[in-house]
Amino acid sequence: MTDRRGVVAKRAENLSPGVPYVRGWNRARRSAGALADQLVLLGLDSDFPGLMADVNVSGDGLVQLGTVRPEAAELLARLIAAGLAAAGLAAESRDTPLLPPWETSAA
């Protein structure tokens, strides 16, 4: 899904036979819908008018956030950080590692 610099591959504007574009786009559509639902609950839906599903040349689904105001991006970043902090506290209280079971820590 990414190039050697870690940038998302180009959007699929000219389709190639044999690439599962619909599968990737459908996954992106579900993810964009889930994000849109949460943004509505937070009252941020109007801050992300460009939120949409897309697909790249490899058939990987993409979720485009669109152009957003700096304040909206900052608020989204703070909400993500707060969620991660809350997840960390919950994991510590259960003595559960934050890493998924398939990943191991470097320690």
Side-chain angles (χ1 to χ4, degrees), residues 22-80:
V22 174
R23 184 180 305 133
W25 180 84
N26 195 37
R27 183 170 182 220
R29 184 182 60 81
R30 287 191 311 269
S31 298
L35 179 56
D37 291 345
Q38 296 305 309
L39 291 172
V40 167
L41 292 174
L42 294 166
L44 295 174
D45 49 316
S46 62
D47 287 312
F48 292 85
L51 178 65
M52 64 181 245
D54 204 348
V55 66
N56 69 12
V57 294
S58 302
D60 299 318
L62 305 173
V63 175
Q64 292 192 25
L65 299 180
T67 303
V68 298
R69 294 178 307 111
E71 297 83 7
E74 185 178 338
L75 179 56
L76 184 58
R78 283 191 278 136
L79 290 168
I80 291 169

